[in-house]
Amino acid sequence: MQVLFLEKNNFHVYLAENADDAVDEVRKHAIPLVLSDIRMEESDGLSLLRELKKRDPKIVMILMTGFGSMEGAIEAIQKGAFDYISKPFDLNKLLALINKAVKHIHSQNQEEKVTLPVALEGPRTLIGRSPEIVEVYKTVARATLSASTVLIMGESGTGKELVARAIHANSDRKNKKFVAVNCGALAETLLESELFGYVKGAFTGAQSDKKGLFEDANGGTLFLDEIGDITQGLQVKLLRVLQEGEVKPVGSNELSKVNVRIVAATHRNLEKLVQEGKFREDLFYRLKVIEIEMPALRERKEDIPELSELFLKKYSAKLSKKVATISKEGMQALMAYNWPGNVRELEHQIERAVALTSASVLAADDFDFSTSRTTPAIPAPMVPAAAPVLYSGGSLDPRSLEDIEKEHILRVLKEVDYNKSKASEVLGIDRATLYRKAQKYGIALKSDSEK
Ligand SMILES: Nc1ncnc2c1ncn2[C@@H]1O[C@H](COP(=O)(O)OP(=O)(O)OP(=O)(O)O)[C@@H](O)[C@H]1O
Ligand SMILES: [Mg+2]
């Protein structure tokens, strides 16, 4: 069927029975593009790829596989496959991929692609086989081949940090440090001295020189989490580092060279921030050399069973409980929910259910979605229900603006389970402002529910 389809689209297709056959055919007809299964009867697609690459490093190969895993994608791409498609796939998708490959063949210059050793590392891996997450695997795989800056965007709990770690752990920097910093959690001056370091006497309290995180991560990867939260001043400084590859510690005039791979992440819509003039466009483009958009869990619900399975195993072991499975109704409940907090929320939900149950099967009523909010695209206005601003009788609400503000902040914080990023988003203020207001009203910002 595929052959017919491709021939209809004006490709000349040669068929091979097995890997040896394929090598012969490719040589005989100087075939530039090979399509192969990863799993074949006698040999496998990856050794065929190796064999073909040995003879012609420029050969372009697309691998097809019945399963989508991050390791599979990384291995295929690192070994030099042009692309990777997981079955079942749509023929038009295959055609689009082939057309892309043909373009690549035409434009291929003399330069050869470097292939890295295949050793796969990283204690934790991403789970899921949906087309959406397989796309992520592929970009992760490509990102491991270079030191280009990566920008990871996506809602809270979608796995942005996990992706950043996977890129590092599978790149040639894996033996150097992975340093993570949450840009949203620190005030501007503190973040600056954390990132770039300082020299003795730079400010009160600077008793000796201190190395910054850029230098700390030298040779490795620096993960700038919540990059959308950095101030304009720091944006300029960061841009300079990205352009020049040099850092200047606070209070110093000396620049030092650093070789750091930057992976940045944000749950905010950076493009919108750029349009609003809140985020520098030049920095945005510098950051998104490689762009990864994390799909929300509700967009890839087919991954819920596999993820649940993983978390079930993890927490039964951790909590020494013999919870073996999730009942059919239980799974239906998980599938029906829309997961505003994404994979993290699913993990918490399962952890909680395992902790509380005394049965060996999790049923629908072991899950509790009442404390989570479902996220509509536009957050519903959260007007304090108990005390409307205008009393129905028409008389004026006696509370001051500050009272109302305090109440509203508290309510929102509770709604989002004290997740500061989410709360600031709902409130339409940045995190620094949230901190300031919390301090003003004596609201405790719990730190355990958020990193
Ligand atoms: N595809 C996945 N497979 C397995 N575990 C996952 C996956 N995605 C996320 N997780 C788990 O979900 C949790 C949240 O992931 P992570 O911290 O990477 O998300 P995030 O996007 O950085 O969230 P936030 O924006 O809230 O910081 C982690 O415990 C992580 O291990
Ligand atoms: Mg994160």
Side-chain angles (χ1 to χ4, degrees):
M1 183 175 70
Q2 289 163 12
V3 174
L4 266 180
F5 175 77
L6 291 174
E7 287 187 329
K8 253 197 225 145
N9 281 284
N10 295 324
F11 288 99
H12 192 106
V13 183
Y14 296 90
L15 280 174
E17 295 263 315
N18 51 43
D20 288 345
D21 240 29
V23 174
D24 279 352
E25 288 290 298
V26 166
R27 202 193 45 224
K28 251 200 309 209
H29 307 287
I31 297 169
L33 172 63
V34 177
L35 207 65
S36 163
D37 266 317
I38 285 200
R39 284 193 184 154
M40 292 183 286
E41 266 172 29
E42 287 146 44
S43 175
D44 67 296
L46 289 171
S47 13
L48 173 61
L49 173 64
R50 200 178 322 120
E51 195 54 41
L52 291 172
K53 283 266 164 188
K54 226 167 43 193
R55 290 158 197 261
D56 173 13
K58 281 202 273 180
I59 190 120
V60 170
M61 190 155 165
I62 296 173
L63 287 165
M64 301 178 289
T65 166
F67 56 95
S69 75
M70 186 173 71
E71 285 78 4
I74 289 178
E75 194 172 5
I77 304 276
Q78 286 193 341
K79 280 197 170 159
F82 175 73
D83 215 318
Y84 166 103
I85 187 164
S86 51
K87 293 194 271 188
F89 50 77
D90 184 69
L91 284 176
N92 287 314
K93 203 173 157 197
L94 180 67
L95 185 63
L97 210 55
I98 291 179
N99 282 329
K100 203 171 95 187
V102 169
K103 250 197 212 144
H104 173 78
I105 293 168
H106 287 312
S107 70
Q108 217 173 30
N109 45 26
Q110 299 325 82
E111 222 180 300
E112 234 167 75
K113 203 168 160 202
V114 218
T115 39
L116 288 169
V118 231
L120 294 174
E121 260 194 40
R124 295 195 304 167
T125 183
L126 285 125
I127 299 281
R129 295 169 192 207
S130 59
E132 289 81 6
I133 201 76
V134 169
E135 275 311 307
V136 171
Y137 299 159
K138 286 203 271 188
T139 320
V140 166
R142 292 212 180 83
T144 65
L145 297 173
S146 76
S148 302
T149 307
V150 183
L151 178 63
I152 309 168
M153 285 167 296
E155 290 177 17
S156 186
T158 45
K160 298 186 291 295
E161 181 161 353
L162 206 53
V163 162
R165 289 182 186 276
I167 291 172
H168 173 77
N170 292 288
S171 74
D172 59 354
R173 296 174 172 258
K174 60 171 173 254
N175 295 321
K176 293 286 171 60
K177 272 194 190 166
F178 175 90
V179 177
V181 54
N182 185 342
C183 301
L186 301 173
E188 178 172 5
T189 48
L190 198 56
L191 182 59
E192 182 181 357
S193 58
E194 277 292 314
L195 288 175
F196 307 126
Y198 53 79
V199 293
K200 184 176 170 184
F203 45 83
T204 349
Q207 313 242 347
S208 56
D209 292 4
K210 188 173 172 284
K211 254 193 348 190
L213 296 175
F214 268 98
E215 276 182 83
D216 202 22
N218 208 356
T221 305
L222 181 61
F223 177 48
L224 300 173
D225 204 358
E226 301 303 354
I227 190 80
D229 291 0
I230 64 169
T231 57
Q232 300 267 350
L234 266 182
Q235 289 176 22
V236 178
K237 288 176 179 150
L238 194 58
L239 181 66
R240 212 186 44 217
V241 184
L242 290 179
Q243 280 167 340
E244 319 292 340
E246 292 172 336
V247 290
K248 196 169 73 175
V250 179
S252 163
N253 286 319
E254 268 168 54
L255 291 162
S256 51
K257 274 254 171 256
V258 284
N259 164 12
V260 173
R261 201 266 171 89
I262 303 290
V263 177
T266 179
H267 70 281
R268 300 175 68 162
N269 184 341
L270 273 196
E271 201 147 14
K272 195 161 147 251
L273 291 183
V274 169
Q275 279 162 13
E276 290 167 352
K278 292 179 185 150
F279 200 89
R280 292 185 67 104
E281 190 171 16
D282 42 10
L283 179 58
F284 178 53
Y285 284 106
R286 276 271 166 187
L287 288 173
K288 66 173 198 136
V289 179
I290 300 175
E291 210 174 332
I292 301 183
E293 181 81 49
M294 295 305 294
L297 186 56
R298 65 185 160 282
E299 289 159 6
R300 53 178 188 107
K301 282 193 169 174
E302 66 260 51
D303 289 335
I304 290 177
E306 195 182 347
L307 283 163
S308 312
E309 196 64 32
L310 171 89
F311 297 138
L312 189 64
K313 273 206 196 106
K314 176 173 165 185
Y315 290 103
S316 332
K318 202 167 162 186
L319 303 166
S320 314
K321 287 247 184 143
K322 287 204 177 64
V323 189
T325 51
I326 299 171
S327 74
K328 197 165 147 239
E329 290 72 26
M331 189 52 74
Q332 277 166 356
L334 296 179
M335 296 293 280
Y337 184 58
N338 90 329
W339 303 107
N342 296 295
V343 185
R344 174 175 299 117
E345 187 182 2
L346 174 63
E347 182 167 358
H348 283 167
Q349 196 57 255
I350 304 240
E351 177 182 11
R352 185 184 157 280
V354 171
L356 296 179
T357 189
S358 46
S360 65
V361 177
L362 292 184
D365 58 9
D366 285 319
F367 302 116
D368 175 12
F369 303 111
S370 63
T371 53
S372 320
R373 77 184 169 136
T374 43
T375 335
I378 305 154
M382 281 187 259
V383 179
V389 177
L390 273 178
Y391 289 128
S392 48
S395 61
L396 216 51
D397 184 334
R399 295 168 306 161
S400 73
L401 197 55
E402 288 194 345
D403 289 340
I404 293 172
E405 185 172 69
K406 177 179 177 184
E407 226 167 82
H408 187 55
I409 291 175
L410 261 172
R411 178 174 295 265
V412 171
L413 276 167
K414 239 189 244 161
E415 287 274 348
V416 299
D417 196 21
Y418 283 83
N419 181 320
K420 279 158 266 179
S421 322
K422 272 195 205 161
S424 2
E425 200 173 271
V426 174
L427 291 165
I429 55 180
D430 59 26
R431 295 229 282 205
T433 312
L434 177 64
Y435 281 98
R436 228 179 19 251
K437 291 197 185 283
Q439 208 167 23
K440 175 171 162 195
Y441 297 129
I443 299 171
L445 291 173
K446 293 182 202 161
S447 56
D448 56 347
S449 58
E450 216 245 341
K451 304 168 298 153

